[in-house]
Amino acid sequence: MAAAAAARVSVGHLTLRISRVAPDCSVCPFNRLNVCRNAFTGGTKGRALDRFRTPNRNLQTSISHYHLADHSNAEDLDDVVNVVYVDRSGHRIPVRAKVGDNILYLAHKHGIELEGACEASLACSTCHVYVQGDYCEKLPEPDEREDDMLDMASGLQENSRLGCQIILTKELEGIELTLPKTTRNFYVDGHVPKPH
Amino acid sequence: MNRTVQKSLFFIVKSVRTSPSNTAGKLHAWRGLSTTPDPPTKVCIVGGGPAGFYTAQHIIKGRPDVQVDVYERLPVPFGLVRFGVAPDHPEVKNVINTFTQTAQHERCRFLGNVNVGKDVSVDELRQLYHAVVLSYGAEGNRSLGVPGEHLPGVYSAKDFVGWYNGLPYNRELRPDLSHDTAVILGQGNVAVDVARILLSPLDMLKKTDITQAALDALANSQVRRVLIVGRRGPMQVACTIKELREMVNLPETQPDMLTDDFHGVNEALKDLPRPRKRLTELMLKALREQAGKEAHRKWGFRFLRSPLDVLPNADGTRAAAIRLALNKLEGLGDEARAVPTGEVEEIPCGVIISSIGYKSLPIDSAVPFDPRKAIIPNTMGRVQETTGLYCSGWVKRGPTGVIATTMNDSFDTGRVLLQDLDSGAIDISESKLGAQGIAPLLEKKGVRPVSFSDWEKISDEEVRRGEAQGKPREKMLDVQEMLSVAWA
């Protein structure tokens, strides 16, 4: 990886080409788990190809629909969208993102603890986020299937959405997304079930 | 260390040792896979399902000095994600990718084919590990408590689901699907899954990982009407809207519900919280539209009915009908209670599936267990009256909720365990052997663990077999077969 890193710093066009060949950290679960070996061992352990080998996926996912590969380090300012995540302890994490980025995978890329158990297939509610104020209206209406999944989320609010369904546009500049506090009580209205 | 280097080492170790082809020699080879010692802090997790893996994930992420070993009784991991989630819900199984990444992490080790409670005791684990997390789920079920419930033809939903999902324990179930009516008791998501699998067009099921045996049985099934029976009313139903919507939209089927069951429901709608409201509205819509349909396969809820007894056929050899008490509701919402009216009804049927809840069982006499609630008594995941013993998932909370619920719960336990490591409540200065200490114990019992890469061989073989049928995989139904593929 040392060679690749050096190339990244250098000439523009060369950088682009190498980036496309290199593994995409934003979908890499090692990165998501914050256990990317590159990050804490210094990056020389093992061969790069082995480290980034994708698991054998025989399962249906919709990753390809929602994720655009990170092609450039050269920033096209027209494309930039600034986003703020507020994590479960209340820390604000500003993120510089791009038009077309998916809120779930963007969070993974930046080590924000948003799970996406079903990998954006509208089969879980683990990427549940609260959308700040007026940005709610700027988002397209949720699909009926998204609403069905949101019904299962704990702490459901008016401004609840699934992160995997939010795709950034210029209009969403400055959007703030708050991660709900995880609670042990999974009934959406706070109810604790009693045996009957 | 990376896999290629690992594999080379394995072969070197294997050839250098003049190992007899006995279990002991093979275990040494397994132990020899890691030439670097495990990190100093040792945690083990009992149960390789969602709770186990999510707890492992949280702990591994939380501290760089921790090794997490996940023990699983079967040779194959993933618990109910493999054996409980319906075959036509493959996206729900995507979470297996997350678990796979955790298992392949250098500080995680999967040990399948090890029965904690039989091959090794919880006390023995506590000698070898700084902390032990019990996440072994719920392998029993609640019984109906009515006469006739043990007649042939009455199955627990847990066993029926295990049967179509290839759980080795349930491979001989052979449910009798020769009568046109099936009655399911209970109205949660498991009940609705069972109804859907019983009535789904075969073309849809053929492309899933449902077992071939189940597919063959369903192809010959005479079941045309499935009734999903519950003690209370439409506003107390425990299933969720995604599953209900799937039933409403199921091709070649139609709803068959009773208007009488819905007294007062329309009027109560406006006061319901959103999730309950949307669910109830969907039910009402299905009821309204059912008259206009003409499908040959029907399904319907039957509300306000409790099982009284299962009636046998003439020679008493199997179930032939179920007798139900009719109820009325006292109280509102989730607090409403079912009270018998004195009226009774009989439904002739050939198969009765009891879907009233799974139940955890005690694993080991040394571990506290609450038989009334059927969970391990705990405070926030710390097992009561012990140190260094934790629990997560259904055995901690009770057997309800979806994967996301278990995920949050597992993270809660993980958080508490990490706190205890950080604060010194667990003394990590005392060194523990971990997996190194387990190996001789297992050798003595003639038990050989299945590693994660062994599981991958099983999985690859299942996928290969499935390809021939156009299925994502054809699951192996026999533990011995799994082991011989794993260790080939």
Side-chain angles (χ1 to χ4, degrees), chain A residues 127-175:
Chain A
C127 66
H128 173 211
V129 291
Y130 299 132
V131 176
Q132 177 210 34
D134 0 323
Y135 288 97
C136 277
E137 280 107 65
K138 300 195 174 137
L139 294 173
E141 280 293 300
D143 187 87
E144 181 178 72
R145 295 181 304 153
E146 180 182 347
D147 272 333
D148 286 353
M149 288 298 105
L150 278 170
D151 280 357
M152 315 264 312
S154 77
L156 182 68
Q157 291 176 181
E158 281 293 324
N159 62 340
S160 284
R161 290 299 299 260
L162 294 183
C164 69
Q165 303 298 302
I166 302 175
I167 310 296
L168 288 177
T169 61
K170 258 330 241 183
E171 239 201 334
L172 299 175
E173 167 65 32
I175 189 172

Side-chain angles (χ1 to χ4, degrees), chain B residues 70-103:
Chain B
V70 178
Y71 289 86
E72 164 57 47
R73 180 171 57 186
L74 286 170
V76 298
F78 309 136
L80 283 177
V81 177
R82 175 177 164 101
F83 295 117
V85 174
D88 56 352
H89 286 166
E91 332 75 34
V92 178
K93 302 193 201 198
N94 282 350
V95 75
I96 285 178
N97 295 333
T98 306
F99 300 159
T100 297
Q101 292 303 324
T102 301

Side-chain angles (χ1 to χ4, degrees), chain A residues 60 115 118 148 151 184, chain B residues 57 94 245 274 278 412:
Chain A
Q60 185 182 317
E115 284 294 320
C118 77
D148 286 353
D151 280 357
R184 295 164 58 210
Chain B
Q57 174 187 314
N94 282 350
R245 208 182 287 287
R274 174 188 131 152
R278 291 179 78 239
D412 281 349

Side-chain angles (χ1 to χ4, degrees), chain B residues 130-431:
Chain B
H130 292 103
V132 174
V133 183
L134 300 165
S135 339
Y136 61 82
E139 70 179 280
N141 43 253
R142 293 179 62 208
S143 84
L144 285 168
V146 303
E149 79 174 287
H150 299 295
L151 280 169
V154 183
Y155 312 99
S156 72
K158 182 179 77 64
D159 286 341
F160 192 81
V161 171
W163 167 74
Y164 64 63
N165 272 335
L167 184 62
Y169 181 76
N170 295 130
R171 62 189 292 211
E172 306 294 329
L173 197 74
R174 296 202 192 92
D176 184 336
L177 304 175
S178 56
H179 191 286
D180 71 358
T181 300
V183 168
I184 303 175
L185 300 166
Q187 296 175 328
N189 282 338
V190 178
V192 179
D193 273 359
V194 169
R196 190 178 71 253
I197 296 295
L198 279 171
L199 293 178
S200 277
L202 237 50
D203 282 341
M204 283 169 59
L205 293 178
K206 271 203 305 227
K207 297 283 186 261
T208 69
D209 64 5
I210 193 170
T211 64
Q212 195 56 42
L215 213 44
D216 293 341
L218 290 167
N220 293 319
S221 161
Q222 301 303 310
V223 175
R224 294 293 175 266
R225 189 169 75 125
V226 176
L227 300 176
I228 310 171
V229 178
R231 288 185 285 177
R232 299 188 295 173
M235 291 184 286
Q236 287 77 34
V237 84
C239 66
T240 54
I241 193 169
K242 171 173 181 274
E243 283 71 19
L244 180 62
R245 208 182 287 287
E246 282 178 299
M247 283 312 294
V248 170
N249 295 336
L250 193 61
E252 298 164 35
T253 68
Q254 68 161 92
D256 164 21
M257 297 198 272
L258 304 175
T259 315
D260 279 350
D261 283 355
F262 287 82
H263 271 320
V265 172
N266 231 322
E267 295 70 28
L269 263 184
K270 57 180 171 19
D271 296 322
L272 297 174
R274 174 188 131 152
R276 178 61 70 189
K277 180 160 183 249
R278 291 179 78 239
L279 179 59
T280 312
E281 278 171 345
L282 182 56
M283 260 189 280
L284 285 169
K285 177 168 181 279
L287 173 69
R288 266 196 314 270
E289 296 176 354
Q290 73 186 22
K293 300 204 199 273
E294 278 181 13
H296 295 300
R297 297 182 170 205
K298 301 185 204 260
W299 66 274
F301 290 118
R302 289 291 178 273
F303 294 104
L304 301 162
R305 286 156 170 83
S306 296
L308 281 175
D309 49 0
V310 176
L311 303 171
N313 58 359
D315 53 10
T317 52
R318 46 176 309 102
I322 185 161
R323 190 151 50 195
L324 304 166
L326 268 56
N327 300 323
K328 61 178 193 279
L329 280 184
E330 282 180 3
L332 295 170
D334 284 313
E335 310 296 316
R337 281 172 52 248
V339 171
T341 59
E343 279 180 62
V344 155
E345 166 182 287
E346 261 178 47
I347 303 183
C349 54
V351 61
I352 294 169
I353 297 178
S354 162
S355 184
I356 59 173
Y358 289 53
K359 197 163 84 162
S360 291
L361 303 177
I363 191 174
D364 188 310
S365 51
V367 177
F369 193 79
D370 179 337
R372 198 177 57 86
K373 292 188 197 161
I375 55 171
I376 295 177
N378 70 92
T379 312
M380 300 205 309
R382 293 182 180 102
V383 176
Q384 286 176 3
E385 289 160 28
T386 66
T387 36
L389 194 58
Y390 301 80
C391 53
S392 66
W394 282 6
V395 80
K396 165 187 172 193
R397 259 184 15 252
T400 57
V402 293
I403 292 176
T405 332
T406 290
M407 178 190 84
N408 286 333
D409 172 273
S410 304
F411 290 168
D412 281 349
T413 294
R415 207 168 296 132
V416 153
L417 198 156
L418 288 172
Q419 264 173 36
D420 288 354
L421 288 174
D422 290 342
S423 71
I426 301 175
D427 179 13
I428 56 176
S429 64
E430 185 193 351
S431 96

Side-chain angles (χ1 to χ4, degrees), chain B residues 97-117:
Chain B
N97 295 333
T98 306
F99 300 159
T100 297
Q101 292 303 324
T102 301
Q104 289 174 340
H105 191 276
E106 61 179 352
R107 288 190 284 115
C108 188
R109 178 186 287 113
F110 174 76
L111 297 104
N113 195 42
V114 178
N115 187 328
V116 174

